[in-house]
Amino acid sequence: CRLRAQARGSQRSSHKAPAAGMVPLRWEVASCDGGSGNRRGVVDIKAAVAEAVAMAFFVVIGCGTTCGYGRGDGETRSCVALAFGSGTVAVALAFKQLPCQCANGAVTFSLFLGGALPWYQCVANLVMQMVGSLVGAVVLAAVFPCELDMTGNLGSNVIDPQFGAGRALLAEMIGTCLLSMVVWEVAGSPTSCLGPNARPSIGFAVVIVHLLMLPIDGCSVNPTRSFGPAIVAHVRGCSNYATGGLQDLWVMWVGPMTGGAVAVLMRMYLVPKAFAGTAAGSDGMLVQQSLP
């Protein structure tokens, strides 16, 4: 195993960054420490597939709770917020031995901008997250018939007209920025000593932002998670279909992606320089795995 590690190290030192359209695919790039690494210039398909499976479970847990309980008052919103937060922890624990980066499109984008994820793995992960979101939404459509879906749209994110798109966009930026900062500091920082406790820390952050933003737009902070329910609910075309999910989807992409980018800028200028370096190894991947 040590000899293989030395051989991989010599290959990395002489390997150049890949050009667009020339990135090879591998099911898994194994490492000797029992985890899964990523050699520079290779898309880890196993990592991308893990993203899809984790996202499907996440959509079923979070959006499924929303379908079953609704989100019309403080009590049901608390249930939904707890479902998304505990679902984050559950999915993270279920896939802790797999190369799952985060099952969150905005956090994935933030990791890419911060230098902790290569562009080609970022693209693969985002695509597979959207696939997983669609699969999860199809499962929800099979479990919850139209008349039993209390949201009327499989838990899609719809902006409350009292707030409007501008306020919802700002809220998505703020919530995603906070979540991305937490992920960076507890799971992506070389100085973090939380270890397994990083998972509930991120879960608590998810609960907090949902409690804040559920009355505004249902709280996305995860564009790839919002993608599947909005598309499948529109295609299903129930008689009680609650419109708005597809029309407001752009806010659920622009806001969280911008928030993830702002988190990188804040980390660059607010975190002391001695600790601001990413936890990326020579292969450009996080040493510590991030979480959904």
Side-chain angles (χ1 to χ4, degrees):
C1 187
R2 187 178 297 109
L3 291 177
R4 291 199 301 271
Q6 293 174 351
R8 284 197 299 272
S10 63
Q11 291 173 358
R12 289 171 180 166
S13 63
S14 60
H15 195 88
K16 296 181 180 180
M22 299 177 60
V23 183
L25 308 178
R26 298 289 185 274
W27 171 247
E28 179 181 10
V29 183
S31 60
C32 293
D33 60 2
S36 178
N38 190 331
R39 189 170 59 234
R40 180 171 295 176
V42 177
V43 174
D44 191 340
I45 298 300
K46 185 175 183 179
V49 171
E51 291 277 2
V53 178
M55 179 61 77
F57 275 109
F58 191 56
V59 168
V60 170
I61 293 170
C63 296
T65 302
T66 310
C67 292
Y69 289 86
R71 54 188 176 206
D73 54 34
E75 182 178 355
T76 55
R77 288 168 184 165
S78 298
C79 291
V80 172
L82 183 60
F84 275 104
S86 57
T88 297
V89 179
V91 172
L93 291 173
F95 291 91
K96 68 177 183 177
Q97 300 299 332
L98 295 176
C100 179
Q101 286 292 328
C102 56
N104 184 311
V107 175
T108 298
F109 184 62
S110 183
L111 295 177
F112 158 67
L113 293 179
L117 194 66
W119 68 265
Y120 40 88
Q121 192 67 47
C122 175
V123 172
N125 288 359
L126 287 174
V127 170
M128 294 306 292
Q129 285 171 18
M130 288 190 286
V131 171
S133 183
L134 288 170
V135 171
V138 169
V139 172
L140 283 182
V143 173
F144 289 93
C146 295
E147 61 274 13
L148 296 181
D149 178 4
M150 296 191 67
T151 66
N153 54 19
L154 297 177
S156 300
N157 295 99
V158 179
I159 299 173
D160 188 321
Q162 298 180 83
F163 289 94
R167 291 185 175 90
L169 186 67
L170 179 61
E172 289 290 339
M173 290 172 55
I174 295 172
T176 310
C177 180
L178 172 63
L179 177 60
S180 298
M181 284 290 292
V182 172
V183 171
W184 269 112
E185 294 307 314
V186 304
S189 172
T191 61
S192 175
C193 58
L194 289 179
N197 293 326
R199 296 176 177 89
S201 300
I202 297 174
F204 283 135
V206 172
V207 172
I208 290 171
V209 297
H210 274 76
L211 288 174
L212 169 66
M213 296 169 56
L214 276 170
I216 301 173
D217 63 357
C219 186
S220 173
V221 299
N222 188 341
T224 45
R225 191 271 295 169
S226 299
F227 175 77
I231 298 296
V232 174
H234 179 76
V235 172
R236 184 164 69 156
C238 293
S239 59
N240 62 339
Y241 172 60
T243 61
L246 200 59
Q247 295 87 333
D248 295 338
L249 191 57
W250 71 271
V251 174
M252 314 309 158
W253 278 84
V254 176
M257 289 299 196
T258 305
V262 172
V264 174
L265 293 176
M266 291 180 64
R267 191 166 185 268
M268 288 173 57
Y269 292 104
L270 297 181
V271 176
K273 292 186 177 181
F275 306 108
T278 64
S282 60
D283 52 7
M285 298 292 290
L286 283 178
V287 174
Q288 291 179 280
Q289 294 295 328
S290 300
L291 306 170

